[in-house]
Amino acid sequence: MKTQVGIIGAGPSGLLLSQILHLHGIRSVVLERRSRDYVLSRIRAGVLEQGFTDMLRAAQVGARMDREGQIHEGFDIAFGGKRHRIDLAALTGGKTVMVYGQTEVQRDLFAARDAMGGTIITEAEDVTPHDVAGAAPYLTYRKDGSEGRIDCEFVAGCDGFHGVSRKAIPESVLKNFERVYPFGWLGILSETAPVSDELIYMNHERGFALASLRSANLSRYYIQSAAEEDLAQWPDERFWEEFRRRLPAEAAAKLVTGPSVEKSVAPLRSFVCEPMRYGRLFLAGDAAHIVPPTGAKGLNLAASDIHFLSRGLIDYFRKGDESGLQRYSEKALARIWKAERFSWWMTHLLHVFPENAGFGERIQRAELEYLVSSRAALTSLAENYVGLPFE
Ligand SMILES: Cc1cc2nc3c(=O)[nH]c(=O)nc-3n(C[C@H](O)[C@H](O)[C@H](O)COP(=O)(O)OP(=O)(O)OC[C@H]3O[C@@H](n4cnc5c(N)ncnc54)[C@H](O)[C@@H]3O)c2cc1C
């Protein structure tokens, strides 16, 4: 099979790239290791920056999000038992975020690719990029016991942190930057009314907690936990009890509990690899970087990568202009590092760090108190949370 862009991975990065390219008359094929059902069962991000929602609308996949998503103009930070509202809209000249689950974004992207005749090959095993440093790269894979080959002009590595694309870049070229945090997030999804209309980020002596939501009857709650918790040790009752203890009292009184419909532990990590281009291979999204979820940036960064990459590819195929592709890595990384900094800062601001006892705890409390008393500090938080500009 021949195409213009071979895309590895049908997560949000890969499908959004394929959709945007299609709308500009550029052909692509997406190879995905998992089944579609598996991809659609993953519960992940849920807070979308305005830049991302604008991209989804421009890519003709924003209609259901605009009907069913919730616009949030603020969120709360709680510490010392008190809630402090961060008025995003007032602090940023009217900017907001959209609460709409990543799973729903995936569903909308699959539906759009199907409606436009896009080629997505799921359950593709042993996907391997070849000759990406040369002029004629290709991908091989196995499906239902048969070998497949896709010849393409460019390869987009959109295959997440554990994918094969990053490994196709020689170690002598690639530089990795990493920080692993000494804890994780234990999360549940529950078909209960959220404890608050807006998110509450909690700094608590027992550990961080987050009250998030997906809709009026779907709550997403997290507590700081060990990086590798045994879920068998966390029956729902134990989760609810621990979560309730970390909520401010007036919110705890309103908490509605119920059976979890999903429960998982995510380790927290900051990671960036440089460069994001090697020959005709371009990395995008989690394939190139990871942030701890505290700043709600992972999915949004995947989107900004696709913004830069799709523009570079469109300019190349439409006008023969290679400058966007040449500057892709540099432009994407400039924004990525700012989001890495913000996610790292939010993580330090809100979590209990075992090594922080004493002095570190007092500094953290002073920083929280300064934050909620200073319009300058709040503005900085708000402008990062709603998303820094793409350009
Ligand atoms: C548990 C969890 C919770 C998260 N919560 C948040 C959150 O609250 N807020 C936030 O902003 N972000 C969150 N994130 C991060 C966010 O989900 C990711 O940043 C986002 O999914 C990145 O999209 P992607 O398309 O780049 O990668 P992915 O979504 O990982 O997609 C990569 C795709 O490539 C496929 N693939 C992998 N290897 C291969 C291969 N060898 N061959 C073919 N296909 C392959 C995978 O199956 C997958 O479908 C969370 C992530 C996780 C894991």
Side-chain angles (χ1 to χ4, degrees):
M1 201 186 308
K2 263 194 158 167
T3 193
Q4 288 170 297
V5 183
I7 300 174
I8 309 179
S13 304
L15 290 186
L16 182 58
L17 178 63
S18 167
Q19 174 73 0
I20 295 173
L21 294 180
H22 174 95
L23 294 175
H24 288 83
I26 299 165
R27 285 173 288 114
S28 68
V29 170
V30 181
L31 288 177
E32 165 61 48
R33 181 165 64 116
R34 302 286 193 173
S35 69
R36 184 179 293 214
D37 283 350
Y38 183 94
V39 172
L40 288 174
S41 71
R42 290 193 296 231
I43 307 294
R44 291 185 171 177
V47 177
L48 314 185
E49 294 172 359
Q50 216 161 296
F52 185 19
T53 57
D54 290 343
M55 274 181 84
L56 291 172
R57 289 183 194 107
Q60 301 178 15
V61 280
R64 194 164 70 95
M65 171 189 76
D66 282 329
R67 280 197 312 275
E68 297 177 14
Q70 293 182 8
I71 300 228
H72 282 214
E73 295 191 352
F75 66 87
D76 281 0
I77 287 186
F79 60 94
K82 282 207 191 97
R83 287 165 74 164
H84 304 265
R85 183 157 190 272
I86 315 298
D87 191 336
L88 295 172
L91 290 161
T92 61
K95 291 194 181 142
T96 57
V97 291
M98 172 82 77
V99 169
Y100 187 66
Q102 177 171 338
T103 316
E104 305 310 317
V105 173
Q106 287 262 200
R107 207 178 291 285
D108 297 342
L109 284 165
F110 271 121
R113 297 313 299 122
D114 288 348
M116 294 178 189
T119 308
I120 303 167
I121 301 172
T122 52
E123 294 174 87
E125 294 169 60
D126 293 333
V127 175
T128 312
H130 302 269
D131 292 353
V132 291
Y138 62 98
L139 302 172
T140 55
Y141 64 99
R142 221 160 11 88
K143 163 105 180 159
D144 300 331
S146 315
E147 304 291 326
R149 171 174 167 141
I150 295 169
D151 290 280
C152 46
E153 292 183 52
F154 296 101
V155 174
C158 301
D159 48 352
F161 185 64
H162 300 287
V164 289
S165 304
R166 193 174 66 251
K167 294 172 193 140
I169 303 180
E171 276 178 25
S172 56
V173 173
L174 206 62
K175 234 179 168 178
N176 293 332
F177 302 85
E178 183 169 50
R179 168 141 312 173
V180 177
Y181 300 88
F183 41 72
W185 279 17
L186 171 62
I188 67 163
L189 191 69
S190 140
E191 286 168 345
T192 49
V195 69
S196 164
D197 293 344
E198 294 183 338
L199 277 71
I200 315 175
Y201 289 79
M202 288 160 265
N203 168 269
H204 191 276
E205 63 198 10
R206 296 180 64 84
F208 168 80
L210 170 62
S212 184
L213 63 152
R214 293 292 179 268
S215 69
N217 195 38
L218 198 55
S219 301
R220 183 70 166 154
Y221 297 140
Y222 298 96
I223 53 172
Q224 179 181 347
S225 66
E228 291 186 9
E229 284 285 351
D230 175 7
L231 287 179
Q233 302 300 315
W234 283 94
D236 290 353
E237 306 70 47
R238 183 175 172 207
F239 179 90
W240 287 121
E241 194 189 315
E242 186 58 43
F243 181 68
R244 192 194 302 275
R245 291 174 83 163
R246 300 185 193 186
L247 280 171
E250 42 76 35
K254 284 192 266 168
L255 180 67
V256 181
T257 63
S260 63
V261 291
E262 194 262 359
K263 190 184 289 163
S264 51
V265 182
L268 264 63
R269 179 196 304 270
S270 298
F271 172 85
V272 182
C273 81
E274 296 181 358
M276 290 168 64
R277 173 189 188 170
Y278 177 64
R280 289 180 167 255
L281 167 67
F282 295 86
L283 302 181
D286 279 17
H289 44 79
I290 296 286
V291 283
T294 328
K297 290 285 163 252
L299 177 59
N300 292 299
L301 272 184
S304 60
D305 289 355
I306 296 306
H307 166 81
F308 296 123
L309 181 55
S310 60
R311 285 176 64 153
L313 288 166
I314 292 162
D315 284 350
Y316 174 83
F317 283 112
R318 280 256 178 108
K319 303 186 252 172
D321 174 1
E322 277 192 59
S323 59
L325 291 178
Q326 275 158 1
R327 294 199 57 209
Y328 167 69
S329 181
E330 178 199 332
K331 283 184 117 175
L333 283 165
R335 191 170 188 278
I336 288 159
W337 274 112
K338 290 184 192 129
E340 289 282 344
R341 183 210 67 82
F342 177 66
S343 306
W344 165 88
W345 175 77
M346 282 280 277
T347 302
H348 278 262
L349 181 72
L350 293 167
H351 290 75
V352 172
F353 281 74
E355 70 274 18
N356 257 4
F359 183 81
E361 273 170 12
R362 291 288 192 280
I363 291 288
Q364 188 186 54
R365 175 53 75 91
E367 182 153 20
L368 282 162
E369 281 171 1
Y370 167 66
L371 172 70
V372 299
S373 67
S374 158
R375 191 170 171 95
L378 285 170
T379 303
S380 168
L381 165 64
E383 72 180 5
N384 279 277
Y385 194 85
V386 298
L388 295 176
F390 284 2
E391 301 286 347

